[in-house]
Amino acid sequence: MKANNRLREPFIIVITAVLVLTALSFSKTEFIAGNYTTKKVDLFSDVKFSRHIINYVYPSLLFTDQLKDSLAKIKKEKERVGIADFSNDSAGGMIWFYRALEQGKKSGKQTRVAYFGDSFVEGDLVTMDLRSSLQNIFGGRGVGFVPITSIVAGFRTTITHSFSSDWTKYDFNNGGGSGHPVGPSGNVFIPSAGSWVKYTAPKAYGDFGVVKLYYGTGNETAKLSVKMDDNVSEFNLNGTESINELVLNASGSVHSLTLTFDCPQPVNIYGASFENASGVYVDNYAFRGNSGLPLSNLSLSVCQGFDAHFDYDLVVLHYGLNVVGHGMKNYDWYRKGLENIVDHIRAAFPHASVLVVSLGDKGYRTGDEWNTEPDVVKVIKVQQEVAEEKNVAFWNMYENMGGYNSMKHWVEGDTVLANKDYCHPNYKGAKRIAGLLFDKIMLGFKEYELKEGGL
């Protein structure tokens, strides 16, 4: 019996010590006695979250107090990682896009997405994988719109693209005035005599199907020669609309096209589209260094001219890298600018859903250590609030990437998903982001089908 008591004694001592330390952890144990100062007894100090961690690992908790009225409209988890649609199924909401996908499945109607962004998506990053996933489900073959020249032509893998060096280009940074309004890609191109552009289909994506050219008001002297594989065709660029569509190839497959222009008088040339009659097409409108604010200056007549041909069903606004600073007191200037962007886009593409994609994680370096830039959550907060105010949809890419320090893990992890600038994804990272967005789109589409089917 005495042996059993001796075995119990250590256990009783440990339990007693834990109970005493627990009680002291919730009591005031700091006091000063002469030159001696006691410390706080806290048995649970190693398992508590610091305020810093809460602020950045779970930024949505910050939003709860500040946006509690808006967060009550949808489930917290859906807002954190899903597509939050603030439209109540009104104009601008995702229902328009989901309806287009449904109609496309039934009737073969083409579904079109305009994806606006900055260097995060240039070279067709993110959009090429999103396009591929959508086309696998809903059909379609082709990369959609491609501009005449591009600074990332050698980087893009979904089309092989070369051009002469004698084009005159105007863009968001170097406007050509009212006579040369830029298009949705942020560019417009003026050919010299003999200016050319060549598009070739990579083996991995198959030959081109339908090919169309888009240009501004033409004239009787403007000519175009098109070499499609071994065949040459001649065209007049005498369209009278602000945006004219010229079908270069209506049927059959083409591996390579070379377009050579002869325009004694200036003609605005915007680019070509590679598509089929049905399916889903995602047009990549990336422009390096763009905060998104220049979109407010896009000509309505030009945008509406493109929309008359493309009939956009979804417009994605994916910005933030060139907005976020460090230690800024507020982003009121950006809030006002983003409000103007959304208003302008809805006027330019009145039948499209609008989706604001938030800024992703972005690193800030202190010494040799990279951590999340603290202003990231400030910008995301503005983007989310404007999406709600304007009754459009919002997707929190930051949360989907993993939240605080996700970019650090993407750069330094065993599987490298981002570049060492701690801002931009690589091909693998872009594919992951596209997959995350595609999953949320499909989840929303399935919910739409169940709702519309009355299930």
Side-chain angles (χ1 to χ4, degrees):
M1 191 64 141
K2 291 181 179 179
N4 289 337
N5 288 337
R6 282 197 297 271
L7 290 174
R8 284 204 242 15
E9 284 175 2
F11 178 74
I12 294 172
I13 292 171
V14 170
I15 293 297
T16 302
V18 170
L19 291 174
V20 170
L21 290 172
T22 299
L24 290 174
S25 296
F26 293 95
S27 305
K28 181 175 177 61
T29 58
E30 309 100 314
F31 63 87
I32 300 175
N35 294 325
Y36 180 75
T37 301
T38 66
K39 294 184 178 180
K40 169 69 177 175
V41 175
D42 191 349
L43 182 63
F44 308 103
S45 62
D46 289 338
V47 296
K48 288 182 179 179
F49 284 123
S50 70
R51 178 175 298 182
H52 173 79
I53 293 177
I54 291 176
N55 282 352
Y56 294 109
V57 174
Y58 301 106
S60 57
L61 296 179
L62 285 179
F63 300 164
T64 302
D65 291 337
Q66 301 166 1
L67 303 175
K68 57 184 178 181
D69 292 336
S70 61
L71 294 180
K73 296 180 180 179
I74 55 178
K75 293 179 180 179
K76 185 182 296 184
E77 183 65 11
K78 183 175 181 181
E79 174 141 332
R80 191 173 73 85
V81 295
I83 293 177
D85 192 342
F86 295 107
S87 70
N88 294 320
D89 294 344
S90 62
M94 291 298 290
I95 189 172
W96 297 91
F97 180 55
Y98 298 146
R99 186 172 295 156
L101 291 175
E102 181 185 47
Q103 292 173 350
K105 286 201 326 182
K106 293 179 179 178
S107 66
K109 176 185 179 295
Q110 190 182 94
T111 304
R112 199 102 186 190
V113 179
Y115 202 113
F116 291 91
D118 51 30
S119 57
F120 197 92
V121 297
E122 70 179 357
D124 214 12
L125 286 184
V126 178
T127 47
M128 67 177 178
D129 294 299
L130 177 61
R131 181 189 306 117
S132 177
S133 296
L134 288 168
Q135 289 180 345
N136 284 339
I137 301 297
F138 300 99
R141 183 170 66 89
V143 298
F145 183 85
V146 181
I148 294 296
T149 77
S150 171
I151 59 175
V152 294
F155 171 70
R156 183 170 183 171
T157 62
T158 50
I159 192 168
T160 302
H161 183 192
S162 58
F163 40 84
S164 61
S165 61
D166 56 354
W167 287 89
T168 298
K169 183 186 76 168
Y170 298 105
D171 57 35
F172 282 138
N173 299 324
N174 176 30
S178 59
H180 304 291
V182 301
S185 69
N187 301 281
V188 62
F189 307 90
I190 317 300
S192 301
S195 295
W196 59 268
V197 57
K198 181 178 182 180
Y199 303 102
T200 304
K203 291 183 179 179
Y205 294 93
D207 288 345
F208 302 134
V210 177
V211 183
K212 302 174 182 177
L213 177 72
Y214 294 89
Y215 67 99
T217 304
N219 54 71
E220 293 299 329
T221 65
K223 308 292 181 182
L224 170 64
S225 175
V226 180
K227 182 179 180 182
M228 293 184 285
D229 293 335
D230 295 326
N231 301 312
V232 177
S233 301
E234 304 291 336
F235 299 90
N236 293 319
L237 300 179
N238 54 6
T240 59
E241 304 296 326
S242 59
I243 298 297
N244 300 278
E245 178 184 85
L246 175 61
V247 178
L248 304 179
N249 187 62
S251 62
S253 295
V254 176
H255 179 66
S256 180
L257 295 93
T258 301
L259 285 60
T260 304
F261 293 81
D262 181 13
C263 301
Q265 301 178 45
V267 177
N268 296 327
I269 312 295
Y270 292 95
S273 181
F274 303 84
E275 59 194 68
N276 279 340
S278 61
V280 180
Y281 299 91
V282 180
D283 296 328
N284 180 294
Y285 290 137
F287 192 93
R288 183 181 297 181
N290 191 4
S291 65
L293 302 185
L295 295 186
S296 297
N297 298 323
L298 284 174
S299 164
L300 276 179
S301 64
V302 169
C303 289
Q304 290 168 353
F306 273 96
D307 197 40
H309 299 294
F310 290 156
D311 191 19
Y312 281 116
D313 301 293
L314 172 65
V315 175
V316 180
L317 302 174
H318 184 163
Y319 295 102
L321 272 185
N322 300 288
V323 174
V324 65
H326 180 71
M328 297 187 68
K329 291 183 178 179
N330 64 70
Y331 284 85
D332 292 344
W333 59 273
Y334 178 57
R335 179 187 302 275
K336 182 63 177 177
L338 185 54
E339 290 170 351
N340 292 336
I341 293 169
V342 175
D343 287 341
H344 195 71
I345 288 298
R346 292 185 65 177
F349 309 104
H351 305 297
S353 299
V354 177
L355 173 62
V356 176
V357 171
S358 85
L359 169 67
D361 190 29
K362 180 179 185 294
Y364 180 78
R365 184 173 180 175
T366 303
D368 294 329
E369 186 73 14
W370 286 89
N371 292 293
T372 291
E373 163 56 57
D375 276 20
V376 163
V377 293
K378 297 179 185 178
V379 173
I380 295 172
K381 177 176 179 289
V382 170
Q383 292 172 325
Q384 183 176 6
E385 289 178 338
V386 171
E388 181 184 13
E389 174 195 339
K390 295 299 180 180
N391 304 122
V392 297
F394 172 79
W395 185 60
N396 194 325
M397 186 177 72
Y398 170 80
E399 288 276 16
N400 278 264
M401 288 178 64
Y404 180 73
N405 267 357
S406 54
M407 183 58 76
K408 178 177 182 177
H409 297 311
W410 281 37
V411 175
E412 301 173 5
D414 292 336
T415 301
V416 178
L417 300 173
N419 299 322
K420 290 187 176 181
D421 62 359
Y422 290 76
C423 293
H424 298 88
N426 59 20
Y427 282 106
K428 289 182 179 179
K431 185 173 184 177
R432 177 172 293 188
I433 290 169
L436 291 166
L437 178 54
F438 171 73
D439 288 345
K440 302 311 181 295
I441 288 174
M442 291 306 297
L443 178 61
F445 179 65
K446 293 301 182 184
E447 292 176 349
Y448 162 81
E449 285 188 313
L450 290 173
K451 181 179 178 181
E452 292 298 302
L455 300 178

